Amino acid sequence: DTEVTQTPKHLVMGMTNKKSLKCEQHMGHRAMYWYKQKAKKPPELMFVYSYEKLSINESVPSRFSPECPNSSLLNLHLHALQPEDSALYLCASSPRDSDYGYTFGSGTRLTVV
Amino acid sequence: AQKITQTQPGMFVQEKEAVTLDCTYDTSDQSYGLFWYKQPSSGEMIFLIYQGSYDEQNATEGRYSLNFQKARKSANLVISASQLGDSAMYFCAMRRRTTGNQFYFGTGTSLTVIP
């Protein structure tokens, strides 16, 4: 299995809703990442997990809450989002110490209404 | 601070022709990795090619090659024999080995292949 699987692929949520994005990999990678990408822009790093521990939080608002229950699974819990949070949310994983690139999921397209 | 520059917001190329996408980077690190990713409209980021800062030979992967000029801090992507399926956004990225392995992405180049 050489994939990173993200669900759902599309999500529409209201500003008062609570939802979660899920990311799963079975490649034995011990680093996992959440990125946010607006249209026509590069991905922006949000969080980094290394060996299931949060190692980097790029000053992300608390309405985004990451969780890494085990080495294969990464969640992003969403609560009280704003319309400007609408974006493509990409998950990626990599071996902890590697010269090679990330493996990205296909992303979740989030629309906040 | 690390910085990746892609000066071509949009490029057009005729099918079956070669095209070069520019990328320059700025770092004081001695050890780093350079990457190119392709992002079709579907959204997935697809890894294309990698070049290590200590690699003496330019990387090649099928129709993709990386023109690495370390002294000039450039890592241009060359796509030979362009195909319609090559139409996508292309991101140059750098990965530092001294930090948490995070990537720094360039602003991207939108490539359109014309039949």
Side-chain angles (χ1 to χ4, degrees):
Chain A
D1 189 350
T2 58
E3 288 186 347
V4 173
T5 303
Q6 287 188 246
T7 54
K9 293 196 181 306
H10 300 274
L11 178 62
V12 179
M13 61 184 290
M15 289 188 284
T16 59
N17 291 159
K18 285 185 180 181
K19 296 287 185 183
S20 296
L21 309 185
K22 179 180 173 181
C23 173
E24 197 164 7
Q25 58 89 14
H26 297 286
M27 295 177 283
H29 290 173
R30 301 311 296 271
M32 296 185 76
Y33 312 81
W34 280 115
Y35 279 83
K36 173 183 177 181
Q37 187 181 24
K38 303 286 270 186
K40 304 291 187 185
K41 298 291 186 182
E44 298 175 0
L45 182 66
M46 300 175 72
F47 302 105
V48 179
Y49 272 84
S50 179
Y51 291 90
E52 295 95 67
K53 293 192 187 307
L54 182 65
S55 60
I56 294 176
N57 176 342
E58 292 285 350
S59 303
V60 179
S62 59
R63 57 185 185 270
F64 295 92
S65 176
E67 178 196 20
C68 189
N70 58 60
S71 60
S72 299
L73 189 56
L74 184 66
N75 297 321
L76 186 63
H77 303 298
L78 315 172
H79 174 54
L81 295 193
Q82 303 296 311
E84 58 265 29
D85 295 322
S86 299
L88 178 69
Y89 288 83
L90 290 163
C91 175
S93 71
S94 73
R96 178 60 183 89
D97 296 304
S98 170
D99 286 342
Y100 293 94
Y102 297 176
T103 301
F104 281 89
S106 56
T108 295
R109 290 195 185 276
L110 174 67
T111 303
V112 181
V113 298
Chain B
Q2 322 308 307
K3 187 176 179 181
I4 312 294
T5 303
Q6 294 180 252
T7 57
Q8 306 153 313
M11 290 279 287
F12 292 87
V13 64
Q14 204 75 36
E15 192 178 6
K16 299 180 185 176
E17 298 291 313
V19 63
T20 298
L21 307 184
D22 295 341
C23 173
T24 59
Y25 59 93
D26 186 16
T27 182
S28 56
D29 291 356
Q30 295 301 309
S31 179
Y32 50 88
L34 296 161
F35 301 81
W36 278 92
Y37 280 85
K38 171 185 177 181
Q39 188 176 39
S41 57
S42 59
E44 185 179 3
M45 296 282 278
I46 302 167
F47 167 72
L48 295 179
I49 196 165
Y50 160 81
Q51 179 86 40
S53 58
Y54 291 120
D55 295 341
E56 294 187 353
Q57 295 209 343
N58 288 341
T60 60
E61 290 286 349
R63 294 186 299 111
Y64 305 108
S65 60
L66 200 152
N67 184 358
F68 180 48
Q69 298 187 43
K70 190 172 182 178
R72 299 177 64 180
K73 294 188 176 177
S74 74
N76 298 339
L77 176 70
V78 180
I79 305 174
S80 62
S82 297
Q83 302 172 355
L84 296 178
D86 294 335
S87 294
M89 282 291 287
Y90 288 81
F91 290 99
C92 179
M94 181 173 70
R95 186 178 191 183
R96 300 178 70 192
R97 295 187 185 147
T98 55
T99 60
N101 288 317
Q102 65 227 61
F103 272 33
Y104 298 89
F105 285 94
T107 50
T109 295
S110 176
L111 177 67
T112 302
V113 180
I114 303 167

